[in-house]
Amino acid sequence: MAAENGGTSGVVDNSVIVPLGRREGPTGTALFHALGGGLGHYLGLAPALARKGPLHGLRALGIQPGEEPDRTIAAMARRYAALLRELPQPPRLLVGWSFGGLLAWETGQLLADTTGFGPDVVLIDSSSRDWDAHDPVLRGIRERVLWETVAALGPESLEPVRRTLDAHIGARLAHRITPARHRSRTLLLTCTRGDDPEQAAAWGTLIPDLTVRSVDADHFGVFSRTTLPVVTGHLDDFINHSAGATT
Amino acid sequence: MTTHQIDRATISQAVRRIVVAESQLAAAPDAVREDEPLNGSVLRINSLSFVKLLVQVEDDLSVTLPDDLFVGHSFRTVADLVDVVEQGVAA
């Protein structure tokens, strides 16, 4: 059990990093949990990424009984960076949807602090704007995430998921996104019917080398059967254009 | 998408092996019936398990399945999973 929940020290809890695919390949990838801590949204994306190399998922601390969720994004990023550094083949690609994109970005910056060149990052409809606790959109997202996660994990998960989700929302409300400190490649996939039409411009002020592509979907529909091939196509293009990468 | 034909018994065996492992059971795969609920007193398959499952089925059967094979489906029993994987192998 980890002790780090917003502070600066603690042991590494390796139960939050989940091997999803063990194939050998040049592109190891890490998928980052969304609000509420689950990885179920990546059901269709995981097989495509697993064919390119080792695939790991980072689920949130807090969704299992007895766990205490991290309460700052800095604490989550430190935890995930420490776990990814320990892998035999550290990932060259970090992917996150929504809140997970923000975690991928912040974790990538920490990883780059040790090497000077971070892994490539893919942000999937991930808003960088500051959140307002009174925004009705946020309340709607909270309700949807809560019930979707409980539906996926079972009713016994309601209380841990609620605590984890509220910890994530609190962390996001307090967080200001780190501008790029290192050279790395970043792909932003925006949903044409998402909640933040300004996200490409906003991320562009933080990330000089930003590639932007769009997907004709709403925020929660980006991994539907209709749009999944578009998402994987953009990822393939991005990965195939990485320096030295072959797929 | 697959490169060779695989019979249903082989698919069923692979799926049962994976769900037994995901449920952290000590039982042999053959001990799990196809009508066993995926979330019941024996098996405990959650959303994370499903994310892993398609990748593991591909590895175990040496096939490539459609990425969206599980997207939009709801699965109640082991047989539901075997049916969809069988369709994916045949596609």
Side-chain angles (χ1 to χ4, degrees):
Chain A
M1 175 60 60
E4 182 178 4
N5 302 105
T8 56
S9 64
V11 296
V12 172
D13 182 341
N14 59 15
S15 75
V16 302
I17 187 162
V18 184
L20 300 174
R22 300 176 187 275
R23 281 176 228 175
E24 293 182 358
T27 307
T29 301
L31 290 168
F32 287 74
H33 66 81
L35 279 177
L39 293 160
H41 293 285
Y42 301 119
L43 183 66
L45 193 58
L49 292 171
R51 294 184 201 113
K52 302 178 188 304
L55 177 66
H56 291 82
L58 289 153
R59 60 114 179 145
L61 201 66
I63 59 175
Q64 297 292 332
E67 293 180 343
E68 190 63 27
D70 288 314
R71 298 194 178 278
T72 69
I73 286 175
M76 292 177 224
R78 283 195 299 272
R79 181 187 304 284
Y80 305 149
L83 289 166
L84 294 175
R85 282 192 196 102
E86 294 291 312
L87 293 176
Q89 180 183 337
R92 61 183 303 164
L93 184 68
L94 310 182
V95 178
W97 169 74
S98 192
F99 182 73
L102 176 57
L103 294 175
W105 170 254
E106 297 291 358
T107 303
Q109 290 296 294
L110 292 182
L111 290 172
D113 284 342
T114 50
T115 63
F117 192 93
D120 295 344
V121 177
V122 177
L123 313 164
I124 303 176
D125 209 44
S126 183
S127 175
S128 66
R129 72 182 174 197
D130 293 342
W131 281 14
D132 173 1
H134 304 292
D135 186 342
V137 172
L138 178 56
R139 283 203 299 275
I141 290 173
R142 180 185 181 278
E143 290 303 304
R144 177 161 184 164
V145 170
L146 182 61
W147 295 113
E148 278 189 354
T149 309
V150 170
L153 297 178
E156 69 278 8
S157 67
L158 175 60
E159 199 45 43
V161 168
R162 192 204 314 267
R163 290 177 67 241
T164 305
L165 175 58
D166 287 340
H168 291 172
I169 290 173
R172 181 63 179 87
L173 284 166
H175 188 70
R176 298 297 173 268
I177 295 174
T178 307
R181 290 193 297 262
H182 305 280
R183 183 168 159 256
S184 63
R185 298 172 67 247
T186 307
L187 169 66
L188 171 65
L189 296 182
T190 64
C191 287
T192 55
R193 287 173 275 131
D195 296 326
D196 180 8
E198 307 300 325
Q199 66 176 284
W203 277 112
T205 65
L206 300 166
I207 308 172
D209 185 13
L210 179 68
T211 302
V212 181
R213 298 289 182 268
S214 66
V215 181
D216 185 17
D218 63 33
H219 184 66
F220 287 95
V222 68
F223 299 121
S224 71
R225 291 190 133 171
T226 310
T227 52
L228 182 62
V230 180
V231 172
T232 55
H234 286 316
L235 260 70
D236 281 344
D237 289 345
F238 182 69
I239 292 167
N240 291 339
H241 285 89
S242 294
T246 55
T247 55
Chain B
M1 278 202 154
T2 185
T3 54
H4 57 285
Q5 293 302 309
I6 301 166
D7 62 27
R8 182 182 172 89
T10 304
I11 294 169
S12 178
Q13 182 72 11
V15 168
R16 283 181 286 153
R17 188 164 52 241
I18 295 166
V19 297
V20 162
E22 278 299 304
S23 302
Q24 298 183 323
L25 293 178
D30 289 340
V32 174
R33 293 158 44 123
E34 280 206 13
D35 61 358
E36 188 69 46
L38 292 169
N39 240 312
S41 58
V42 176
L43 299 175
R44 301 292 291 169
I45 301 300
N46 61 25
S47 59
L48 179 57
S49 304
F50 282 112
V51 175
K52 290 191 244 180
L53 212 142
L54 186 59
V55 176
Q56 291 182 21
V57 168
E58 284 195 351
D59 287 347
D60 280 13
L61 298 177
S62 300
V63 295
T64 303
L65 298 167
D67 294 339
D68 65 355
L69 190 64
F70 289 173
V71 175
H73 282 284
S74 61
F75 301 98
R76 197 181 65 80
T77 66
V78 174
D80 295 341
L81 265 175
V82 175
D83 289 344
V84 169
V85 173
E86 189 176 23
Q87 291 164 19
V89 167

Short mmCIF file of all heavy atoms in Angstrom, two decimals, chain A residues 165-223:
data_model
loop_
_atom_site.label_atom_id
_atom_site.label_comp_id
_atom_site.label_asym_id
_atom_site.label_seq_id
_atom_site.Cartn_x
_atom_site.Cartn_y
_atom_site.Cartn_z
N LEU A 165 -13.28 9.46 -7.33
CA LEU A 165 -13.73 10.46 -8.30
C LEU A 165 -13.68 11.86 -7.70
O LEU A 165 -13.18 12.81 -8.33
CB LEU A 165 -15.15 10.11 -8.75
CG LEU A 165 -15.87 11.08 -9.68
CD1 LEU A 165 -15.09 11.30 -10.96
CD2 LEU A 165 -17.26 10.54 -10.01
N ASP A 166 -14.16 12.02 -6.49
CA ASP A 166 -14.15 13.34 -5.86
C ASP A 166 -12.72 13.80 -5.56
O ASP A 166 -12.42 15.00 -5.65
CB ASP A 166 -15.00 13.34 -4.59
CG ASP A 166 -16.49 13.29 -4.91
OD1 ASP A 166 -16.86 13.64 -6.06
OD2 ASP A 166 -17.29 12.89 -4.05
N ALA A 167 -11.84 12.86 -5.24
CA ALA A 167 -10.42 13.22 -5.06
C ALA A 167 -9.84 13.71 -6.38
O ALA A 167 -9.09 14.70 -6.43
CB ALA A 167 -9.63 12.03 -4.54
N HIS A 168 -10.20 13.05 -7.48
CA HIS A 168 -9.70 13.47 -8.79
C HIS A 168 -10.24 14.85 -9.18
O HIS A 168 -9.51 15.68 -9.72
CB HIS A 168 -10.09 12.44 -9.86
CG HIS A 168 -9.38 11.14 -9.71
ND1 HIS A 168 -9.69 10.02 -10.46
CD2 HIS A 168 -8.35 10.75 -8.90
CE1 HIS A 168 -8.91 9.02 -10.11
NE2 HIS A 168 -8.09 9.44 -9.18
N ILE A 169 -11.51 15.07 -8.92
CA ILE A 169 -12.09 16.37 -9.26
C ILE A 169 -11.43 17.48 -8.43
O ILE A 169 -11.07 18.53 -8.96
CB ILE A 169 -13.63 16.34 -9.06
CG1 ILE A 169 -14.26 15.45 -10.13
CG2 ILE A 169 -14.21 17.76 -9.11
CD1 ILE A 169 -15.75 15.20 -9.94
N GLY A 170 -11.23 17.20 -7.15
CA GLY A 170 -10.54 18.18 -6.31
C GLY A 170 -9.12 18.46 -6.81
O GLY A 170 -8.67 19.61 -6.84
N ALA A 171 -8.45 17.40 -7.21
CA ALA A 171 -7.08 17.55 -7.74
C ALA A 171 -7.08 18.38 -9.01
O ALA A 171 -6.23 19.25 -9.20
CB ALA A 171 -6.47 16.17 -7.99
N ARG A 172 -8.06 18.12 -9.85
CA ARG A 172 -8.12 18.84 -11.14
C ARG A 172 -8.46 20.31 -10.93
O ARG A 172 -7.92 21.19 -11.61
CB ARG A 172 -9.15 18.17 -12.06
CG ARG A 172 -9.29 18.79 -13.43
CD ARG A 172 -8.00 18.69 -14.23
NE ARG A 172 -8.14 19.27 -15.55
CZ ARG A 172 -7.95 20.57 -15.82
NH1 ARG A 172 -7.60 21.39 -14.85
NH2 ARG A 172 -8.08 21.02 -17.05
N LEU A 173 -9.37 20.60 -10.00
CA LEU A 173 -9.75 21.98 -9.73
C LEU A 173 -8.55 22.80 -9.26
O LEU A 173 -8.44 23.99 -9.57
CB LEU A 173 -10.85 22.02 -8.65
CG LEU A 173 -12.26 21.63 -9.11
CD1 LEU A 173 -13.15 21.36 -7.91
CD2 LEU A 173 -12.86 22.71 -9.99
N ALA A 174 -7.66 22.16 -8.51
CA ALA A 174 -6.52 22.89 -7.94
C ALA A 174 -5.31 22.94 -8.87
O ALA A 174 -4.35 23.67 -8.57
CB ALA A 174 -6.11 22.22 -6.62
N HIS A 175 -5.37 22.21 -9.97
CA HIS A 175 -4.16 22.02 -10.78
C HIS A 175 -4.03 23.07 -11.89
O HIS A 175 -5.01 23.45 -12.51
CB HIS A 175 -4.18 20.63 -11.42
CG HIS A 175 -2.90 20.28 -12.11
ND1 HIS A 175 -1.74 20.02 -11.43
CD2 HIS A 175 -2.60 20.17 -13.43
CE1 HIS A 175 -0.78 19.74 -12.30
NE2 HIS A 175 -1.28 19.83 -13.52
N ARG A 176 -2.81 23.52 -12.08
CA ARG A 176 -2.47 24.35 -13.24
C ARG A 176 -1.49 23.56 -14.08
O ARG A 176 -0.46 23.10 -13.57
CB ARG A 176 -1.85 25.68 -12.81
CG ARG A 176 -2.79 26.55 -11.97
CD ARG A 176 -4.03 26.96 -12.76
NE ARG A 176 -5.01 27.64 -11.92
CZ ARG A 176 -6.02 27.02 -11.29
NH1 ARG A 176 -6.17 25.71 -11.39
NH2 ARG A 176 -6.86 27.70 -10.54
N ILE A 177 -1.78 23.41 -15.35
CA ILE A 177 -1.00 22.50 -16.20
C ILE A 177 0.41 23.02 -16.43
O ILE A 177 0.62 24.22 -16.64
CB ILE A 177 -1.75 22.27 -17.53
CG1 ILE A 177 -3.06 21.54 -17.23
CG2 ILE A 177 -0.90 21.46 -18.50
CD1 ILE A 177 -3.96 21.38 -18.41
N THR A 178 1.35 22.10 -16.40
CA THR A 178 2.76 22.43 -16.57
C THR A 178 3.07 22.71 -18.03
O THR A 178 2.84 21.85 -18.88
CB THR A 178 3.63 21.24 -16.10
OG1 THR A 178 3.24 20.87 -14.78
CG2 THR A 178 5.10 21.59 -16.14
N PRO A 179 3.60 23.89 -18.35
CA PRO A 179 4.05 24.11 -19.74
C PRO A 179 5.20 23.18 -20.08
O PRO A 179 5.93 22.73 -19.19
CB PRO A 179 4.51 25.58 -19.75
CG PRO A 179 3.93 26.19 -18.52
CD PRO A 179 3.81 25.08 -17.51
N ALA A 180 5.38 22.88 -21.36
CA ALA A 180 6.43 21.95 -21.78
C ALA A 180 7.79 22.43 -21.29
O ALA A 180 8.18 23.58 -21.51
CB ALA A 180 6.42 21.83 -23.30
N ARG A 181 8.51 21.52 -20.62
CA ARG A 181 9.87 21.81 -20.17
C ARG A 181 10.90 21.16 -21.06
O ARG A 181 12.08 21.49 -20.99
CB ARG A 181 10.08 21.27 -18.74
CG ARG A 181 9.34 21.99 -17.66
CD ARG A 181 9.86 21.58 -16.28
NE ARG A 181 9.66 20.17 -15.99
CZ ARG A 181 8.64 19.70 -15.26
NH1 ARG A 181 7.75 20.52 -14.78
NH2 ARG A 181 8.53 18.42 -15.02
N HIS A 182 10.45 20.20 -21.86
CA HIS A 182 11.39 19.40 -22.65
C HIS A 182 10.83 19.21 -24.05
O HIS A 182 9.64 19.36 -24.29
CB HIS A 182 11.59 18.02 -22.01
CG HIS A 182 12.02 18.09 -20.59
ND1 HIS A 182 13.32 18.33 -20.23
CD2 HIS A 182 11.32 17.97 -19.43
CE1 HIS A 182 13.41 18.34 -18.90
NE2 HIS A 182 12.20 18.13 -18.41
N ARG A 183 11.73 18.81 -24.94
CA ARG A 183 11.31 18.54 -26.30
C ARG A 183 10.71 17.13 -26.36
O ARG A 183 11.33 16.16 -25.94
CB ARG A 183 12.53 18.62 -27.23
CG ARG A 183 12.20 18.43 -28.67
CD ARG A 183 13.38 18.81 -29.57
NE ARG A 183 13.21 18.15 -30.86
CZ ARG A 183 13.88 17.08 -31.24
NH1 ARG A 183 14.78 16.56 -30.44
NH2 ARG A 183 13.66 16.54 -32.43
N SER A 184 9.50 17.06 -26.86
CA SER A 184 8.87 15.76 -27.08
C SER A 184 7.72 15.98 -28.06
O SER A 184 7.34 17.12 -28.33
CB SER A 184 8.36 15.14 -25.77
OG SER A 184 7.35 15.95 -25.21
N ARG A 185 7.20 14.91 -28.57
CA ARG A 185 6.11 15.02 -29.55
C ARG A 185 4.78 14.76 -28.84
O ARG A 185 4.68 13.84 -28.03
CB ARG A 185 6.31 14.01 -30.67
CG ARG A 185 7.58 14.24 -31.47
CD ARG A 185 7.82 13.13 -32.45
NE ARG A 185 6.81 13.09 -33.49
CZ ARG A 185 5.92 12.12 -33.63
NH1 ARG A 185 5.88 11.13 -32.79
NH2 ARG A 185 5.05 12.16 -34.63
N THR A 186 3.81 15.57 -29.20
CA THR A 186 2.50 15.43 -28.57
C THR A 186 1.41 15.50 -29.63
O THR A 186 1.43 16.38 -30.49
CB THR A 186 2.27 16.55 -27.53
OG1 THR A 186 3.37 16.58 -26.62
CG2 THR A 186 0.98 16.33 -26.76
N LEU A 187 0.50 14.55 -29.54
CA LEU A 187 -0.68 14.54 -30.43
C LEU A 187 -1.91 14.83 -29.59
O LEU A 187 -2.14 14.19 -28.56
CB LEU A 187 -0.82 13.16 -31.09
CG LEU A 187 -2.14 12.90 -31.85
CD1 LEU A 187 -2.25 13.80 -33.08
CD2 LEU A 187 -2.23 11.41 -32.26
N LEU A 188 -2.70 15.79 -30.04
CA LEU A 188 -3.98 16.08 -29.40
C LEU A 188 -5.10 15.70 -30.37
O LEU A 188 -5.16 16.20 -31.49
CB LEU A 188 -4.08 17.58 -29.07
CG LEU A 188 -5.45 18.07 -28.58
CD1 LEU A 188 -5.81 17.44 -27.24
CD2 LEU A 188 -5.47 19.59 -28.47
N LEU A 189 -5.95 14.77 -29.93
CA LEU A 189 -7.14 14.41 -30.70
C LEU A 189 -8.33 15.13 -30.07
O LEU A 189 -8.65 14.88 -28.90
CB LEU A 189 -7.38 12.90 -30.68
CG LEU A 189 -6.32 12.02 -31.32
CD1 LEU A 189 -6.74 10.54 -31.25
CD2 LEU A 189 -6.11 12.41 -32.78
N THR A 190 -8.93 16.02 -30.81
CA THR A 190 -10.08 16.76 -30.27
C THR A 190 -11.37 16.20 -30.85
O THR A 190 -11.42 15.79 -32.01
CB THR A 190 -9.99 18.25 -30.63
OG1 THR A 190 -10.07 18.38 -32.06
CG2 THR A 190 -8.70 18.87 -30.14
N CYS A 191 -12.40 16.19 -30.03
CA CYS A 191 -13.72 15.77 -30.51
C CYS A 191 -14.46 16.98 -31.06
O CYS A 191 -14.52 18.03 -30.39
CB CYS A 191 -14.52 15.15 -29.38
SG CYS A 191 -13.92 13.52 -28.92
N THR A 192 -15.01 16.84 -32.24
CA THR A 192 -15.69 17.99 -32.86
C THR A 192 -16.92 18.40 -32.05
O THR A 192 -17.36 19.53 -32.14
CB THR A 192 -16.13 17.63 -34.29
OG1 THR A 192 -16.93 16.44 -34.24
CG2 THR A 192 -14.94 17.42 -35.20
N ARG A 193 -17.46 17.45 -31.29
CA ARG A 193 -18.62 17.77 -30.46
C ARG A 193 -18.28 17.64 -28.97
O ARG A 193 -19.10 17.19 -28.17
CB ARG A 193 -19.80 16.87 -30.85
CG ARG A 193 -20.41 17.26 -32.20
CD ARG A 193 -21.45 16.27 -32.67
NE ARG A 193 -20.84 15.15 -33.37
CZ ARG A 193 -21.11 13.87 -33.13
NH1 ARG A 193 -21.94 13.53 -32.19
NH2 ARG A 193 -20.52 12.92 -33.85
N GLY A 194 -17.05 18.00 -28.61
CA GLY A 194 -16.62 17.93 -27.22
C GLY A 194 -17.05 19.14 -26.42
O GLY A 194 -17.69 20.06 -26.95
N ASP A 195 -16.69 19.14 -25.14
CA ASP A 195 -17.12 20.21 -24.24
C ASP A 195 -16.22 21.43 -24.29
O ASP A 195 -16.57 22.48 -23.76
CB ASP A 195 -17.16 19.69 -22.79
CG ASP A 195 -18.20 18.59 -22.60
OD1 ASP A 195 -19.24 18.67 -23.27
OD2 ASP A 195 -17.95 17.68 -21.80
N ASP A 196 -15.03 21.30 -24.89
CA ASP A 196 -14.08 22.41 -24.88
C ASP A 196 -13.55 22.67 -26.29
O ASP A 196 -12.52 22.14 -26.69
CB ASP A 196 -12.91 22.09 -23.93
CG ASP A 196 -11.90 23.21 -23.87
OD1 ASP A 196 -12.17 24.30 -24.44
OD2 ASP A 196 -10.82 23.01 -23.26
N PRO A 197 -14.25 23.52 -27.05
CA PRO A 197 -13.82 23.77 -28.43
C PRO A 197 -12.50 24.53 -28.53
O PRO A 197 -11.91 24.60 -29.61
CB PRO A 197 -14.99 24.60 -29.00
CG PRO A 197 -15.68 25.18 -27.82
CD PRO A 197 -15.49 24.22 -26.69
N GLU A 198 -12.04 25.09 -27.41
CA GLU A 198 -10.80 25.87 -27.43
C GLU A 198 -9.59 25.05 -27.01
O GLU A 198 -8.51 25.59 -26.81
CB GLU A 198 -10.93 27.08 -26.49
CG GLU A 198 -12.15 27.96 -26.75
CD GLU A 198 -12.15 28.54 -28.16
OE1 GLU A 198 -11.06 28.85 -28.67
OE2 GLU A 198 -13.24 28.63 -28.75
N GLN A 199 -9.75 23.73 -26.84
CA GLN A 199 -8.65 22.97 -26.23
C GLN A 199 -7.39 22.95 -27.09
O GLN A 199 -6.28 22.96 -26.55
CB GLN A 199 -9.08 21.56 -25.85
CG GLN A 199 -9.44 20.65 -26.99
CD GLN A 199 -9.76 19.23 -26.48
OE1 GLN A 199 -8.87 18.49 -26.14
NE2 GLN A 199 -11.04 18.90 -26.42
N ALA A 200 -7.55 22.95 -28.42
CA ALA A 200 -6.35 22.92 -29.26
C ALA A 200 -5.53 24.20 -29.09
O ALA A 200 -4.30 24.16 -28.94
CB ALA A 200 -6.75 22.73 -30.72
N ALA A 201 -6.22 25.34 -29.07
CA ALA A 201 -5.51 26.61 -28.89
C ALA A 201 -4.88 26.68 -27.50
O ALA A 201 -3.74 27.15 -27.34
CB ALA A 201 -6.48 27.76 -29.10
N ALA A 202 -5.61 26.20 -26.51
CA ALA A 202 -5.09 26.28 -25.13
C ALA A 202 -3.87 25.39 -24.95
O ALA A 202 -2.85 25.81 -24.37
CB ALA A 202 -6.19 25.88 -24.15
N TRP A 203 -3.93 24.15 -25.43
CA TRP A 203 -2.75 23.27 -25.33
C TRP A 203 -1.60 23.84 -26.16
O TRP A 203 -0.43 23.69 -25.80
CB TRP A 203 -3.09 21.86 -25.82
CG TRP A 203 -3.75 20.98 -24.81
CD1 TRP A 203 -5.03 20.52 -24.84
CD2 TRP A 203 -3.17 20.41 -23.63
NE1 TRP A 203 -5.30 19.72 -23.76
CE2 TRP A 203 -4.17 19.63 -22.99
CE3 TRP A 203 -1.91 20.49 -23.04
CZ2 TRP A 203 -3.94 18.94 -21.81
CZ3 TRP A 203 -1.67 19.80 -21.85
CH2 TRP A 203 -2.68 19.04 -21.25
N GLY A 204 -1.93 24.49 -27.27
CA GLY A 204 -0.89 25.05 -28.13
C GLY A 204 -0.05 26.11 -27.44
O GLY A 204 1.12 26.31 -27.79
N THR A 205 -0.62 26.79 -26.47
CA THR A 205 0.16 27.78 -25.72
C THR A 205 1.13 27.11 -24.74
O THR A 205 2.08 27.73 -24.29
CB THR A 205 -0.75 28.74 -24.92
OG1 THR A 205 -1.44 27.98 -23.91
CG2 THR A 205 -1.75 29.43 -25.84
N LEU A 206 0.88 25.84 -24.43
CA LEU A 206 1.71 25.12 -23.45
C LEU A 206 2.74 24.21 -24.12
O LEU A 206 3.77 23.88 -23.54
CB LEU A 206 0.82 24.26 -22.54
CG LEU A 206 -0.22 25.00 -21.71
CD1 LEU A 206 -1.24 24.01 -21.13
CD2 LEU A 206 0.45 25.77 -20.59
N ILE A 207 2.41 23.76 -25.35
CA ILE A 207 3.23 22.74 -26.02
C ILE A 207 3.61 23.26 -27.41
O ILE A 207 2.76 23.35 -28.30
CB ILE A 207 2.45 21.41 -26.17
CG1 ILE A 207 1.89 20.97 -24.81
CG2 ILE A 207 3.33 20.34 -26.78
CD1 ILE A 207 0.94 19.77 -24.90
N PRO A 208 4.89 23.58 -27.61
CA PRO A 208 5.28 24.13 -28.93
C PRO A 208 5.10 23.12 -30.07
O PRO A 208 4.65 23.48 -31.16
CB PRO A 208 6.75 24.48 -28.74
CG PRO A 208 6.97 24.54 -27.27
CD PRO A 208 5.99 23.60 -26.65
N ASP A 209 5.47 21.86 -29.82
CA ASP A 209 5.46 20.86 -30.90
C ASP A 209 4.20 20.01 -30.76
O ASP A 209 4.24 18.84 -30.39
CB ASP A 209 6.72 19.99 -30.80
CG ASP A 209 6.82 19.02 -31.98
OD1 ASP A 209 6.08 19.19 -32.96
OD2 ASP A 209 7.64 18.08 -31.88
N LEU A 210 3.06 20.63 -31.06
CA LEU A 210 1.77 19.95 -30.87
C LEU A 210 1.14 19.64 -32.22
O LEU A 210 1.00 20.51 -33.07
CB LEU A 210 0.83 20.85 -30.07
CG LEU A 210 -0.58 20.30 -29.80
CD1 LEU A 210 -0.52 19.10 -28.86
CD2 LEU A 210 -1.47 21.40 -29.21
N THR A 211 0.79 18.37 -32.40
CA THR A 211 0.04 17.95 -33.59
C THR A 211 -1.42 17.81 -33.18
O THR A 211 -1.72 17.20 -32.16
CB THR A 211 0.56 16.59 -34.10
OG1 THR A 211 1.95 16.71 -34.40
CG2 THR A 211 -0.20 16.15 -35.35
N VAL A 212 -2.31 18.37 -33.97
CA VAL A 212 -3.74 18.34 -33.63
C VAL A 212 -4.51 17.64 -34.74
O VAL A 212 -4.32 17.94 -35.93
CB VAL A 212 -4.30 19.76 -33.42
CG1 VAL A 212 -5.79 19.69 -33.04
CG2 VAL A 212 -3.52 20.50 -32.35
N ARG A 213 -5.32 16.69 -34.36
CA ARG A 213 -6.24 16.03 -35.29
C ARG A 213 -7.61 15.98 -34.64
O ARG A 213 -7.73 16.04 -33.41
CB ARG A 213 -5.78 14.59 -35.59
CG ARG A 213 -4.42 14.50 -36.28
CD ARG A 213 -4.49 14.97 -37.72
NE ARG A 213 -3.20 14.83 -38.40
CZ ARG A 213 -2.28 15.79 -38.47
NH1 ARG A 213 -2.51 16.98 -37.88
NH2 ARG A 213 -1.15 15.60 -39.08
N SER A 214 -8.64 15.88 -35.46
CA SER A 214 -9.99 15.89 -34.88
C SER A 214 -10.72 14.59 -35.19
O SER A 214 -10.41 13.89 -36.16
CB SER A 214 -10.78 17.09 -35.40
OG SER A 214 -11.02 16.96 -36.77
N VAL A 215 -11.67 14.30 -34.35
CA VAL A 215 -12.51 13.11 -34.49
C VAL A 215 -13.96 13.58 -34.40
O VAL A 215 -14.31 14.33 -33.48
CB VAL A 215 -12.22 12.08 -33.37
CG1 VAL A 215 -13.09 10.85 -33.55
CG2 VAL A 215 -10.75 11.72 -33.33
N ASP A 216 -14.78 13.14 -35.34
CA ASP A 216 -16.18 13.57 -35.35
C ASP A 216 -16.97 12.76 -34.32
O ASP A 216 -17.57 11.73 -34.65
CB ASP A 216 -16.77 13.41 -36.75
CG ASP A 216 -18.18 13.98 -36.83
OD1 ASP A 216 -18.55 14.76 -35.94
OD2 ASP A 216 -18.91 13.63 -37.78
N ALA A 217 -16.93 13.22 -33.09
CA ALA A 217 -17.58 12.49 -31.99
C ALA A 217 -17.80 13.44 -30.83
O ALA A 217 -17.22 14.54 -30.80
CB ALA A 217 -16.70 11.33 -31.53
N ASP A 218 -18.63 13.02 -29.87
CA ASP A 218 -18.68 13.75 -28.62
C ASP A 218 -17.68 13.11 -27.65
O ASP A 218 -17.07 12.08 -27.95
CB ASP A 218 -20.10 13.81 -28.04
CG ASP A 218 -20.65 12.43 -27.69
OD1 ASP A 218 -19.86 11.56 -27.29
OD2 ASP A 218 -21.87 12.24 -27.80
N HIS A 219 -17.52 13.74 -26.50
CA HIS A 219 -16.46 13.34 -25.57
C HIS A 219 -16.56 11.86 -25.19
O HIS A 219 -15.56 11.14 -25.21
CB HIS A 219 -16.55 14.23 -24.32
CG HIS A 219 -15.46 13.99 -23.34
ND1 HIS A 219 -14.13 14.28 -23.60
CD2 HIS A 219 -15.48 13.48 -22.08
CE1 HIS A 219 -13.40 13.98 -22.54
NE2 HIS A 219 -14.19 13.48 -21.61
N PHE A 220 -17.75 11.42 -24.85
CA PHE A 220 -17.90 10.04 -24.38
C PHE A 220 -18.07 9.04 -25.52
O PHE A 220 -18.09 7.83 -25.27
CB PHE A 220 -19.09 9.95 -23.41
CG PHE A 220 -18.81 10.56 -22.06
CD1 PHE A 220 -19.17 11.87 -21.79
CD2 PHE A 220 -18.16 9.84 -21.08
CE1 PHE A 220 -18.91 12.44 -20.56
CE2 PHE A 220 -17.88 10.41 -19.84
CZ PHE A 220 -18.26 11.71 -19.58
N GLY A 221 -18.17 9.53 -26.74
CA GLY A 221 -18.36 8.62 -27.87
C GLY A 221 -17.12 8.42 -28.72
O GLY A 221 -17.18 7.79 -29.77
N VAL A 222 -15.98 8.90 -28.24
CA VAL A 222 -14.79 8.90 -29.09
C VAL A 222 -14.27 7.48 -29.37
O VAL A 222 -13.63 7.25 -30.40
CB VAL A 222 -13.69 9.79 -28.46
CG1 VAL A 222 -13.16 9.17 -27.17
CG2 VAL A 222 -12.57 10.06 -29.44
N PHE A 223 -14.59 6.52 -28.50
CA PHE A 223 -14.12 5.14 -28.73
C PHE A 223 -15.26 4.23 -29.20
O PHE A 223 -15.20 3.02 -29.03
CB PHE A 223 -13.51 4.56 -27.45
CG PHE A 223 -12.31 5.32 -26.95
CD1 PHE A 223 -12.30 5.88 -25.68
CD2 PHE A 223 -11.19 5.50 -27.75
CE1 PHE A 223 -11.20 6.58 -25.20
CE2 PHE A 223 -10.09 6.21 -27.30
CZ PHE A 223 -10.09 6.75 -26.02
#
